Amino acid sequence: MSSIGTGYDLSASTFSPDGRVFQVEYAMKAVENSSTAIGIRCKDGVVFGVEKLVLSKLYEQGSNKRIFNVDRHVGMAVAGLLADARSLSEVAREDASNFRSNYGHNIPLKHLSERVAMYVHAYTLYSAVRPFGCSFILGSYDQDDGPQLYMVDPSGISYGYWGCAIGKAKQAAKTEIEKLQMKDMTCRELVKEVAKIIYIVHDEVKDKSFELELSWVGEVTNGKHELVPKDVREEAEKYAKDSLEEEDDSDEDIM
Amino acid sequence: MEKRFMDSQIKGVSTGTTILAVTFNGGVIIGSDSRASIGGYYVSSKTINKLIQVHDRIFCCIAGSLADAQAVTKAAKFQISFHSIQMESPPLVKAAASVLKELCYNNKEELQAGFITAGWDRKKGPQVYTVALGGMLLSQPFTIGGSGSTYIYGYADAKYKPDMSKEECLQFATNALALAMGRDNVSGGVAHLVVITEEGVEHIVIPGDKLPKFHDE
């Protein structure tokens, strides 16, 4: 499954004979080892869900958040090396803030994601630095442009999405996301579906406990990106757990 | 105004001027006189253009030191054009006004220029912004500026109505300019008016003798 670069993979400034930059591909592997994060755009907003694995019972609940606020109207969910993601969130914050300072209005998400992607890309050009080992999903809501969702990966490209997933279970998550009719859903409906998808893709055997981080931005929050309120979160988690049990039950019937 | 008077002898050409911008239903009219003077004694130009186009639907009119205003608008025009290409869409009027404001505020020690920015954008429609001498940015339905504006505050406050038609607004702007140019010695020449709407930009020039006449003229 993994191919070895042997000699052409020592620095980001070297191409392999078949035209690949192995350091960037290795950076993407770092993202694939991290737990899953998903972002889905609906009719009136964007919802993020992150499967945050809890490695020790001694951790304070809610520490090492993987969803960041980049600007009032922009949120960022990350997968990969958390320290790399934190420094990129600072880059995104400064960019958004400078834009507002210069031009007097909120930065459009497409522009922000292109700027941060350009920054990430710069670290794939030189042997003196290593590429960022994280992917992230940016989401925002604006009254005129509506909800927007963009994803940036370690190679430095950004794409716009209706739904995307990053991390170890991204394939399984993408399959679940494709089943949704997100263009017709509202944020309140979507929050429950996002929680359900995270619960579905979570591997009970390999990874033990996890915390579900949920956040949203849309008409429901008046354009402000924030973590989902406690009551909505509990409702979403209950819906997710109940759906899983139902599926388990139906499997038993077939057998 | 006394400081400006003294400074103009050091700075050279200044635009003792009358400038205004007024929103109406569907667009905005920006207007100015065309006189440039040195020290208030000598008219260095009778036909100067104080209405600078900074983008397709955004204009700005200048007051104060002509050199400073031209330098700032040149820099702003470049920045706004680059910003618009990066955004892949026409710039917001607010963005253009913010660019001018940043330039004025960050260089306030050296500069002596004030602006009125007016234009139309898809998001908020017709807008008028004042960028004052020190870099204050203010959004208003209409605004007047320059040395000649002091003589028409009463007229403007009394006669402005929100949501005018294009013809009513043109009449308002022309009358205001004519009255100011009639009383301010450092404003005069022809009246330049630009009408900006979603459809496009229309220039109107009214020579001095065709301006509306009031009592005892």
Side-chain angles (χ1 to χ4, degrees), chain A residues 44-62:
Chain A
D44 63 352
V46 169
V47 180
F48 289 125
V50 177
E51 173 205 9
K52 193 173 75 181
L53 298 178
V54 177
L55 297 168
S56 157
K57 284 198 204 99
L58 296 173
Y59 282 146
E60 188 185 358
Q61 206 201 30

Side-chain angles (χ1 to χ4, degrees), chain A residues 99-105 107-108 110-111 114-115 118 142 144-145, chain B residues 79-80 82-83 86-88 92 94-96 98-99 101-102 122-123:
Chain A
F99 185 95
R100 178 179 277 114
S101 177
N102 286 331
Y103 302 109
H105 66 95
I107 187 168
K110 180 163 192 275
H111 187 69
E114 279 168 8
R115 299 262 319 172
M118 243 197 306
D142 174 71
D144 301 300
D145 303 323
Chain B
Q79 281 187 29
I80 293 164
F82 187 67
H83 170 70
Q86 273 189 322
M87 294 289 121
E88 291 174 354
L92 298 183
K94 185 160 194 198
S98 297
V99 166
K101 177 262 290 176
E102 283 290 297
R122 218 173 41 91
K123 199 164 174 170

Side-chain angles (χ1 to χ4, degrees), chain A residues 230-248:
Chain A
K230 193 153 168 261
D231 53 336
V232 179
R233 214 168 69 106
E234 281 168 4
E235 193 196 334
E237 283 194 273
K238 184 168 176 304
Y239 171 83
K241 287 178 188 155
D242 291 343
S243 313
L244 278 179
E245 272 176 29
E246 264 179 37
E247 283 181 20
D248 285 344

Side-chain angles (χ1 to χ4, degrees), chain A:
Chain A
M1 197 185 77
S2 57
S3 48
I4 307 174
T6 322
Y8 300 109
D9 61 347
L10 296 174
S11 83
S13 62
T14 312
F15 275 105
S16 75
D18 52 352
R20 296 152 75 175
V21 181
F22 279 102
Q23 278 296 307
V24 173
E25 293 188 20
Y26 295 163
M28 300 210 221
K29 293 250 174 51
V31 178
E32 277 168 36
N33 287 338
S34 128
S35 63
T36 321
I38 65 175
I40 309 186
R41 171 182 162 193
C42 63
K43 195 167 56 170
D44 63 352
V46 169
V47 180
F48 289 125
V50 177
E51 173 205 9
K52 193 173 75 181
L53 298 178
V54 177
L55 297 168
S56 157
K57 284 198 204 99
L58 296 173
Y59 282 146
E60 188 185 358
Q61 206 201 30
S63 62
N64 283 346
K65 283 207 180 334
R66 287 179 45 194
I67 299 185
F68 301 96
N69 239 325
V70 165
D71 197 349
R72 189 185 178 273
H73 65 302
V74 178
M76 173 169 156
V78 306
L81 301 177
L82 194 50
D84 286 9
R86 283 209 189 109
S87 99
L88 279 173
S89 77
E90 271 305 300
V91 167
R93 282 168 181 160
E94 275 174 28
D95 231 43
S97 174
N98 284 336
F99 185 95
R100 178 179 277 114
S101 177
N102 286 331
Y103 302 109
H105 66 95
N106 289 348
I107 187 168
L109 193 66
K110 180 163 192 275
H111 187 69
L112 176 64
S113 74
E114 279 168 8
R115 299 262 319 172
V116 187
M118 243 197 306
Y119 186 88
V120 169
H121 169 251
Y123 281 72
T124 66
L125 297 170
Y126 309 103
S127 57
V129 294
R130 64 161 174 82
F132 283 95
C134 63
S135 288
F136 51 94
I137 313 176
L138 290 164
S140 83
Y141 179 78
D142 174 71
Q143 254 194 334
D144 301 300
D145 303 323
Q148 305 277 321
L149 185 67
Y150 283 84
M151 197 260 280
V152 179
D153 69 8
S155 65
I157 29 177
S158 83
Y159 288 112
Y161 288 89
W162 276 94
C164 66
I166 48 181
K168 58 173 68 154
K170 72 171 187 221
Q171 274 309 115
K174 276 189 196 157
T175 319
E176 292 301 318
I177 293 174
E178 276 166 20
K179 292 181 192 164
L180 296 174
Q181 296 291 342
M182 63 221 40
K183 295 185 194 182
D184 304 319
M185 294 170 86
T186 64
C187 271
R188 287 200 185 272
E189 296 160 4
L190 190 56
V191 152
K192 297 197 285 215
E193 297 300 329
V194 165
K196 181 175 158 195
I197 293 174
I198 295 286
Y199 269 86
I200 290 175
V201 303
H202 173 68
D203 189 340
E204 277 294 333
V205 175
K206 281 204 206 130
D207 309 310
K208 304 294 169 2
S209 59
F210 78 105
E211 264 178 48
L212 170 63
E213 262 183 78
L214 279 175
S215 78
W216 59 3
V217 58
E219 242 186 88
V220 64
T221 64
N222 240 323
K224 179 166 181 272
H225 173 257
E226 50 192 30
L227 291 177
V228 155
K230 193 153 168 261
D231 53 336
V232 179
R233 214 168 69 106
E234 281 168 4
E235 193 196 334
E237 283 194 273
K238 184 168 176 304
Y239 171 83
K241 287 178 188 155
D242 291 343
S243 313
L244 278 179
E245 272 176 29
E246 264 179 37
E247 283 181 20
D248 285 344
D249 290 338
S250 66
D251 281 341
E252 283 173 15
D253 286 342
I254 292 168
M255 279 174 62

